[in-house]
C-alpha cells in the first residue's frame, strides 16, 4: 500500500499540458529549410544520397511525402538543407509536402485547410480505425503513443476504436502490401460516410523505402482521396495530434 | 572436414564452404543437433541453374558456428529433416516455397507466407487445419486486429472458452525486403535505411546486424567508440520495448497503474535515444563503418543521470506490479512453454530464456562492444506469462548496468571508418541479440564484391510457433495476454 502511494508520487503528472505549443528537442528532425545559394556544382552527381528519391535538383526541393528524415542530405549538402525541429508538418494536399525554399511560417499558412463542414461533423468527437498495411511497427508504435499518458489524445475527444463500424475515418500506415490491399479496402468500406482518410508516414504517403517493391498494391489511392497527410518515418505523436487538431479546426 | 568452422561475423570464402551430397549433410546435421548444436539458418540461394542450400549450426558453449552446403540442380526433392529436427520445419517450408524443392515427408508443408509470388501461389487456396467434433467452434481473427497493431490471421479451434488449437497465418506484411536488398544493391545508403525498416521496433538490432555483416565483408574494424555507442543504443532499445511491453501487459489485465507508469517510463527512454540521434527509435544512428552521431560529454552525463533515476523508478514500479494479486493471478501458469518444447522448436530470445533455455548472442557469440563487456545470461524456469514478463524486468535492470558501464568507459576516438568495397565471393553470418532475441543476417558477395544474397532471420521466425503452443488449453480471453508476453513481429517474419 505504501509502495503504491510512493509509486503514484513518483509517477506524478506526466501529461504534456500544452500540446499545441510544446517544442521538441533540438535533435528532432522536422521541417527542412532549403538554402539554394549554398549549392555547389559538384553536388549534382549525388542524387543517390536520398534513399527515397525525395530530392529534386534544379530547383532544389524535398518531398516530405517521400522523405524519411534521415538527414543524409544535410550531411552531404551542408548548408543547402537544414532540418529544423519544427514538428508540425502535416498537410491536407499532397503538393504542399514538396518543399522548395519557403520558411516554416510560409509553409504553415497553407499546409492545413480546415473546412467548416469537418469542424461541424468531427470537431468535438472523432473516432478513428487504424489499418496497418505492411507498416513496420514504427508508425504503429507512435500512433499508440498518441493515446498514452504523455500525449493523451483522448482529452480532445479523439480516440482509436476497434471496429471500423464505430469509426469516422481510417488511419493508414505502411506501403500497402498486395496481401493487405483487399483488407484495407474492406475496412474503408465498413466505415460509414461521411468519413476521412489519413495517411501516416512516408510508406503510406508514397511507398517510402518500399516504393520500388513488386510486392505492393497501392491502387487503393487511385480510388480514394486522402484528406490528411502526416509525413515522417515515423511521425512524432505531436505531429499527428497537432495536424488533426488543425484539420478539425480546433484551437 | 565437412563443415567449415567460423565465428560470428567472420567471413569465409565461398570456395571454402564444403559442398556435400544432401544425404550426407542430412545425416551429419541430425547427429550434430542430437549432440547439442543448434540450427541457426537453413536457406537456399539460386545461382544460374542450380540452388545451393546453406546450413548454419551454432555451438553456443564454444562460441562457434559451422557452415556447409548442398547443391540442387535437377533434383527437386530431399528427405525432410523436420521429424528429426523440429526446428527445421519452417526453413524447409520456406525452401519449398521459394525454390520448389520439396522436403519429402515433411509433416505439414503449408505456405510460410500467405500467397506471395512463389511456388505456393500456384497451389489451390490453403485450407486451415480443421478439428472434428460437434462442440468445436472456430474463431477467426484478423488480418486487421482490434488495436493499432500489424496484421496477421489467427484461427482458433475452441471447446467452450478453451483454445484447443491455434493456427497462425502470416504473410500479410510481405514487402519483398530480401529482393529489395538485391534490387538496390548499388545504393549503400538505401541498404542501411532498408535494414532499419525490416522491423520498426528493432531498428538498432537489424541495422547493427546488417552493418556489421557489411563491415566484415569490407574487412574493416570500426572504432571502439562507435561499437560502444551501438551497444548503448541497442540496450536502450531493449529497455524501451521491455517497458512498453510491461505497460501493455498491465493494460491487458486492466491494471491501469502499471499501464500508465511503465508507459511513461518508456517515453523517457525513447526520448533519450532521440537526444542522441534525433529519432525516438534510433533511425539514422548506425551506418556501415560506424555511427553517424556522437554522445557529447553533457549528453553522456544526462543519460547517466536519466538511467540511474530510471533504475530506481523501474524497481519501485516492478515491486508494486509483481506483488499485485490481480496481476499475478492472470500471469502465473498462463501460456506455459516448457523447457523441452522451447529447445525442440528452436525458440530464441527472452521468451526462450523465460523457459530456461540459456541462449543469448551477446554472451554466446559476442559482437561489437560485447567482446569487451561480457553479458551474464539470465534465465527463469516457469515459461509462463509471468516468466516472460519478469524476465523483461530483470533484463531492464541488466541493460541499465550495461549502459552505465559502457558510458563510463566511453573513450575518445573516431566515429566512423570509410571503406571502399566488399571482398568478392564471400559469405558472412552476422548475429545480434536484439531485444526479441537472435537476429541473423547472412550476406553473400559475388565475383566483383557485389551483394548477391541477403538472408534475414528475425527472432519471430522461430517464436511464432511458441505462441501457438503456449495458448493451447488456455482460455481464449488469455490470448491477448499470451500474445503480448511474446510481442512478436509480423513484418520481421513476413519480410
Amino acid at each position: 500500500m505504501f509502495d503504491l502511494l510512493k509509486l503514484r508520487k513518483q509517477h506524478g503528472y506526466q501529461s504534456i499540458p500544452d500540446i499545441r505549443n510544446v517544442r521538441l528537442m533540438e535533435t528532432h528532425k522536422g521541417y527542412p529549410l532549403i538554402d539554394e545559394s549554398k549549392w555547389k556544382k559538384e553536388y549534382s552527381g549525388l542524387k543517390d544520397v536520398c534513399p527515397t528519391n525525395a530530392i529534386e535538383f534544379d530547383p532544389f526541393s524535398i518531398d516530405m511525402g517521400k522523405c524519411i528524415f534521415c538527414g543524409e542530405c544535410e550531411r552531404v549538402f551542408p548548408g543547402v538543407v537544414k532540418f529544423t525541429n519544427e514538428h508540425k508538418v502535416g498537410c491536407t494536399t499532397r503538393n504542399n509536402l514538396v518543399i522548395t525554399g519557403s520558411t516554416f511560417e510560409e509553409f504553415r499558412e497553407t499546409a492545413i485547410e480546415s473546412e467548416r463542414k469537418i469542424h461541424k461533423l468531427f470537431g468535438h468527437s472523432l473516432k478513428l480505425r487504424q489499418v496497418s498495411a505492411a507498416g513496420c511497427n514504427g508508425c504503429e508504435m507512435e500512433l499508440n503513443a498518441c493515446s498514452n499518458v504523455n500525449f493523451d489524445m483522448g482529452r480532445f475527444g479523439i480516440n482509436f476504436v476497434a471496429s471500423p463500424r464505430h469509426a469516422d475515418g481510417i488511419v493508414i500506415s505502411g506501403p500497402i502490401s498486395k496481401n493487405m490491399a483487399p483488407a484495407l479496402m474492406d475496412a474503408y468500406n465498413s466505415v460509414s460516410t461521411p468519413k476521412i482518410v489519413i495517411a501516416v508516414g512516408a510508406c503510406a504517403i508514397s511507398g517510402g523505402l518500399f516504393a520500388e517493391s513488386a510486392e505492393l498494391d497501392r491502387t487503393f489511392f487511385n480510388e480514394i482521396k486522402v484528406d490528411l497527410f502526416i509525413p515522417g518515418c515515423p511521425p512524432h505523436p505531436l505531429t499527428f495530434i497537432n495536424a488533426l487538431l488543425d484539420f478539425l479546426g480546433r484551437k | 572436414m565437412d563443415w567449415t568452422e567460423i565465428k560470428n561475423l567472420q567471413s569465409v570464402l565461398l570456395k571454402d564452404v564444403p559442398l556435400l551430397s544432401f544425404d550426407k549433410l542430412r545425416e551429419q546435421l541430425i547427429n550434430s543437433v542430437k549432440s547439442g548444436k543448434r540450427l541457426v539458418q537453413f536457406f537456399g540461394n539460386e545461382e544460374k541453374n542450380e540452388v545451393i542450400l546453406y546450413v548454419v549450426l551454432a555451438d553456443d558453449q564454444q562460441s562457434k558456428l559451422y557452415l556447409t552446403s548442398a547443391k540442387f540442380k535437377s533434383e527437386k526433392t530431399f528427405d525432410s529433416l523436420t521429424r528429426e529436427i523440429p526446428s527445421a520445419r519452417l526453413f524447409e517450408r520456406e525452401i519449398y516455397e521459394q525454390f520448389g524443392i520439396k522436403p519429402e515427408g515433411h509433416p505439414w508443408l503449408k505456405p510460410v507466407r500467405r500467397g506471395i509470388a512463389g511456388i505456393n501461389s500456384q497451389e489451390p487456396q490453403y485450407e486451415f487445419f480443421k478439428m472434428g467434433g460437434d462442440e468445436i467452434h472456430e474463431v477467426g481473427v484478423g488480418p486487421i486486429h482490434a488495436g493499432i497493431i500489424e496484421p496477421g490471421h489467427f484461427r482458433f479451434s475452441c471447446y467452450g472458452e478453451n483454445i484447443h488449437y491455434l493456427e497462425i497465418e502470416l504473410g500479410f506484411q510481405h514487402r519483398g525486403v530480401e529482393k529489395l536488398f538485391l534490387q538496390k544493391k548499388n545504393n549503400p545508403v538505401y541498404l542501411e535505411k532498408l535494414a532499419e525498416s525490416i522491423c520498426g521496433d528493432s531498428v538498432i538490432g537489424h541495422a547493427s546486424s546488417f552493418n556489421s555483416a557489411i563491415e566484415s565483408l569490407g574487412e574493416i574494424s570500426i572504432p571502439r567508440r562507435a561499437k560502444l555507442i551501438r551497444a548503448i543504443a541497442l540496450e536502450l532499445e531493449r529497455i524501451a520495448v521491455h517497458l512498453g511491453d510491461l505497460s501493455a501487459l498491465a493494460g491487458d489485465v486492466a491494471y491501469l497503474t502499471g499501464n500508465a507508469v511503465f508507459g511513461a517510463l518508456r517515453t523517457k527512454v525513447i526520448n533519450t535515444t532521440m537526444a542522441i540521434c534525433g529519432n525516438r527509435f534510433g533511425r539514422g544512428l548506425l551506418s556501415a563503418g560506424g555511427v553517424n552521431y556522437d554522445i557529447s560529454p553533457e549528453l553522456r552525463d544526462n543519460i547517466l543521470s536519466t538511467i540511474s533515476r530510471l533504475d530506481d523508478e523501474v524497481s519501485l514500479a516492478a515491486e508494486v506490479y509483481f506483488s499485485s494479486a490481480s496481476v499475478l493471478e492472470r500471469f502465473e501458469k498462463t501460456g506455459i512453454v516448457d523447457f523441452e518444447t522451447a529447445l525442440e522448436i528452436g525458440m530464441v530470445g527472452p521468451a526462450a530464456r523465460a523457459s530456461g533455455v540459456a541462449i543469448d548472442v551477446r554472451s554466446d557469440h559476442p559482437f561489437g562492444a560485447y567482446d569487451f563487456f561480457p553479458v551474464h545470461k539470465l534465465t527463469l524456469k516457469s515459461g509462463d506469462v509471468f516468466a516472460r514478463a519478469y524476465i523483461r524486468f530483470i533484463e531492464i535492470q541488466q541493460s541499465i548496468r550495461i549502459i552505465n558501464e559502457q558510458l563510463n568507459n566511453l573513450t575518445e576516438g573516431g566515429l566512423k571508418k570509410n571503406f571502399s568495397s566488399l571482398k568478392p565471393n564471400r559469405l558472412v553470418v552476422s548475429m545480434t541479440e536484439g531485444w526479441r532475441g537472435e537476429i541473423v543476417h547472412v550476406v553473400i558477395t559475388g565475383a566483383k564484391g557485389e551483394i548477391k544474397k541477403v538472408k534475414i532471420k528475425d527472432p519471430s521466425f522461430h517464436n511464432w510457433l511458441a505462441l501457438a503452443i503456449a495458448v493451447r488449453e488456455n482460455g481464449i480471453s488469455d490470448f491477448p495476454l499470451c500474445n503480448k508476453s511474446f510481442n512478436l513481429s509480423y513484418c520481421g517474419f513476413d519480410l
Side-chain angles (χ1 to χ4, degrees):
Chain A
M1 183 65 200
F2 285 118
D3 275 346
L4 182 61
L5 291 173
K6 235 163 86 187
L7 182 62
R8 293 305 278 257
K9 185 160 175 282
Q10 170 193 295
H11 181 64
Y13 184 76
Q14 294 289 338
S15 300
I16 300 167
D18 189 359
I19 288 249
R20 297 300 261 156
N21 294 310
V22 65
R23 304 279 304 171
L24 284 177
M25 56 179 87
E26 286 296 319
T27 54
H28 175 76
K29 288 189 197 66
Y31 184 80
L33 287 178
I34 296 170
D35 180 358
E36 208 154 3
S37 67
K38 300 270 166 51
W39 181 258
K40 290 184 186 148
K41 262 198 203 129
E42 59 261 37
Y43 293 162
S44 45
L46 298 172
K47 229 170 176 179
D48 263 0
V49 160
C50 180
T52 51
N53 300 319
I55 296 179
E56 287 294 335
F57 293 168
D58 209 19
F60 195 95
S61 69
I62 294 180
D63 181 352
M64 289 200 296
K66 294 180 178 171
C67 181
I68 56 168
F69 298 83
C70 64
E72 289 293 334
C73 52
E74 198 176 20
R75 273 190 289 279
V76 181
F77 311 134
V80 182
V81 185
K82 168 91 190 82
F83 283 96
T84 65
N85 64 337
E86 299 290 356
H87 59 271
K88 294 182 183 174
V89 289
C91 272
T92 41
T93 48
R94 181 70 181 84
N95 286 345
N96 276 347
L97 289 175
V98 181
I99 308 301
T100 45
S102 40
T103 64
F104 179 64
E105 289 69 27
E106 286 163 354
F107 162 78
R108 284 284 293 161
E109 266 167 37
T110 54
I112 295 187
E113 265 175 69
S114 98
E115 290 174 38
R116 271 187 72 87
K117 192 179 77 189
I118 296 286
H119 177 75
K120 230 176 131 186
L121 283 167
F122 306 124
H124 299 281
S125 163
L126 179 69
K127 307 294 159 202
L128 296 168
R129 170 66 242 198
Q130 204 276 336
V131 179
S132 165
C136 73
N137 207 14
C139 289
E140 289 76 3
M141 285 193 293
E142 289 299 48
L143 289 171
N144 267 320
C146 291
S147 309
N148 73 12
V149 288
N150 302 102
F151 300 104
D152 187 21
M153 189 170 66
R155 71 179 106 168
F156 303 108
I158 308 171
N159 299 93
F160 287 106
V161 292
S163 170
R165 302 267 188 219
H166 301 157
D168 304 311
I170 58 169
V171 178
I172 305 166
S173 60
I176 311 185
S177 56
K178 282 180 185 165
N179 279 337
M180 275 309 286
L184 172 63
M185 192 52 101
D186 285 351
Y188 173 81
N189 287 332
S190 304
V191 179
S192 56
T193 45
K195 55 187 160 190
I196 60 171
V197 176
I198 304 171
V200 171
C203 286
I205 299 174
S206 66
L209 282 164
F210 303 96
E212 290 171 47
S213 168
E215 304 295 335
L216 304 186
D217 175 359
R218 295 179 53 78
T219 50
F220 178 85
F221 293 116
N222 300 345
E223 295 166 48
I224 311 296
K225 181 183 157 285
V226 175
D227 299 293
L228 188 58
F229 298 91
I230 319 282
C233 186
H236 195 278
L238 288 174
T239 307
F240 182 77
I241 298 172
N242 277 297
L244 258 184
L245 293 175
D246 289 338
F247 178 66
L248 296 175
R250 299 273 297 256
K251 284 208 180 95
Chain B
M1 180 61 192
D2 291 337
W3 296 73
T4 304
E5 185 188 303
I6 51 171
K7 282 188 168 288
N8 185 14
L9 290 172
Q10 177 194 346
S11 79
V12 56
L13 274 171
L14 282 176
K15 67 175 172 54
D16 293 339
V17 180
L19 201 57
L20 310 182
S21 71
F22 189 81
D23 291 337
K24 201 167 171 194
L25 185 151
R26 185 176 190 281
E27 190 193 319
Q28 294 186 3
L29 185 56
I30 291 169
N31 288 336
S32 304
V33 171
K34 273 193 186 130
S35 69
K37 294 198 181 69
R38 192 165 56 85
L39 184 58
V40 168
Q41 190 54 280
F42 179 22
F43 67 99
N45 185 27
E46 199 158 11
E47 289 172 37
K48 290 170 200 133
N49 295 321
E50 52 195 37
V51 176
I52 297 183
L53 299 187
Y54 291 95
V55 185
V56 182
L57 279 175
D59 184 334
D60 295 323
Q61 276 78 41
Q62 304 291 325
S63 303
K64 282 173 187 158
L65 299 172
Y66 297 91
L67 181 67
T68 197
S69 64
K71 196 190 283 185
F72 283 75
K73 213 162 191 173
S74 51
E75 57 278 48
K76 282 286 170 197
T77 59
F78 63 89
D79 266 350
S80 166
L81 289 152
T82 301
R83 288 188 192 278
E84 283 86 3
I85 309 171
S87 63
R89 81 206 175 278
L90 261 179
F91 293 121
E92 290 190 339
R93 279 162 49 188
E94 193 182 43
I95 288 166
Y96 178 54
E97 181 166 303
Q98 293 180 344
F99 307 103
I101 301 174
K102 195 169 188 175
E104 289 290 353
H106 190 289
W108 197 3
L109 203 56
K110 66 172 200 167
V112 178
R113 300 175 182 98
R114 176 183 190 272
I116 61 165
I119 308 302
N120 68 59
S121 59
Q122 282 130 41
E123 291 197 346
Q125 182 73 36
Y126 171 73
E127 297 277 341
F128 287 99
F129 175 77
K130 278 236 179 305
M131 267 184 83
D134 291 345
E135 300 290 310
I136 297 289
H137 70 273
E138 282 189 1
V139 181
V141 182
I144 300 177
H145 300 157
I148 305 175
I149 175 172
E150 297 172 68
H153 184 86
F154 300 119
R155 185 69 63 105
F156 300 92
S157 298
C158 302
Y159 177 77
E161 300 219 339
N162 274 353
I163 302 168
H164 265 311
Y165 184 79
L166 163 62
E167 184 171 352
I168 301 172
E169 189 193 33
L170 298 170
F172 293 91
Q173 293 280 72
H174 182 65
R175 299 157 297 171
V177 171
E178 288 179 353
K179 279 188 207 143
L180 278 171
F181 269 106
L182 303 188
Q183 212 171 311
K184 307 273 275 182
K185 63 185 174 207
N186 297 322
N187 185 342
V189 177
Y190 175 87
L191 299 186
E192 283 173 18
K193 308 301 169 200
L194 183 62
E196 288 177 348
S197 294
I198 292 170
C199 171
D201 52 38
S202 304
V203 172
I204 305 291
H206 274 284
S208 148
S209 202
F210 179 72
N211 287 318
S212 306
I214 294 298
E215 286 145 12
S216 165
L217 290 167
E219 292 194 329
I220 58 158
S221 151
I222 68 166
R224 183 188 146 100
R225 191 177 177 88
K227 283 185 183 173
L228 285 166
I229 293 175
R230 279 186 185 184
I232 290 164
L234 186 65
E235 296 305 328
L236 283 171
E237 182 170 271
R238 192 181 322 277
I239 299 175
V241 180
H242 283 357
L243 286 171
D245 283 347
L246 287 174
S247 164
L249 279 165
D252 280 342
V253 296
Y255 180 60
L256 295 185
T257 305
N259 184 259
V261 169
F262 282 112
L265 291 175
R266 168 185 176 264
T267 306
K268 289 185 189 172
V269 179
I270 55 178
N271 284 349
T272 307
T273 306
M274 183 170 166
I276 301 174
C277 69
N279 184 290
R280 304 218 295 172
F281 304 106
R283 284 171 185 269
L285 174 59
L286 272 65
S287 170
V291 290
N292 286 326
Y293 297 87
D294 199 6
I295 295 179
S296 67
E298 303 83 65
L299 181 56
R300 192 190 73 121
D301 294 342
N302 277 341
I303 302 176
L304 277 172
S305 68
T306 305
I307 61 162
S308 125
R309 263 199 320 273
L310 186 75
D311 202 6
D312 299 336
E313 289 165 343
V314 171
S315 298
L316 176 60
E319 173 79 40
V320 175
Y321 188 83
F322 289 112
S323 58
S324 155
S326 61
V327 170
L328 294 179
E329 205 275 326
R330 293 287 304 276
F331 282 16
E332 282 178 338
K333 300 199 168 53
T334 305
I336 297 173
V337 182
D338 61 41
F339 173 78
E340 287 74 22
T341 310
L343 206 59
E344 196 168 78
I345 64 173
M347 271 173 80
V348 293
R353 294 193 285 276
S355 294
V357 181
I359 49 169
D360 186 329
V361 181
R362 290 174 296 172
S363 58
D364 296 334
H365 307 275
F367 54 95
Y370 302 100
D371 278 336
F372 33 89
F373 287 105
V375 174
H376 173 69
K377 284 188 269 192
L378 302 168
T379 54
L380 295 171
K381 281 210 174 89
S382 56
D384 51 3
V385 171
F386 174 80
R388 285 188 292 276
Y390 197 76
I391 202 148
R392 312 291 187 118
F393 163 55
I394 53 179
E395 287 197 11
I396 291 166
Q397 289 185 310
Q398 184 185 40
S399 294
I400 289 173
R401 283 198 298 275
I402 295 172
I403 295 174
N404 205 21
E405 206 179 334
Q406 291 178 339
L407 278 174
N408 281 318
N409 286 286
L410 199 57
T411 42
E412 287 302 315
L415 292 178
K416 204 167 166 179
K417 249 191 200 163
N418 288 329
F419 62 103
S420 48
S421 60
L422 307 183
K423 296 281 174 276
N425 292 322
R426 282 184 168 268
L427 178 151
V428 67
V429 182
S430 171
M431 296 161 76
T432 300
E433 185 75 16
W435 68 265
R436 201 182 263 124
E438 173 189 284
I439 296 170
V440 184
H441 287 213
V442 180
V443 184
I444 300 178
T445 53
K448 292 186 183 115
E450 80 282 9
I451 293 178
K452 235 170 55 177
K453 176 87 183 171
V454 179
K455 184 72 208 157
I456 300 152
K457 192 188 78 179
D458 189 82
S460 313
F461 192 77
H462 294 289
N463 286 7
W464 274 112
L465 180 65
L467 169 63
I469 290 172
V471 298
R472 288 181 194 166
E473 301 313 323
N474 279 256
I476 193 165
S477 52
D478 278 333
F479 172 74
L481 195 55
C482 294
N483 189 21
K484 202 71 210 175
S485 71
F486 287 93
N487 191 7
L488 299 172
S489 173
Y490 298 76
C491 57
F493 182 95
D494 295 345
L495 296 175

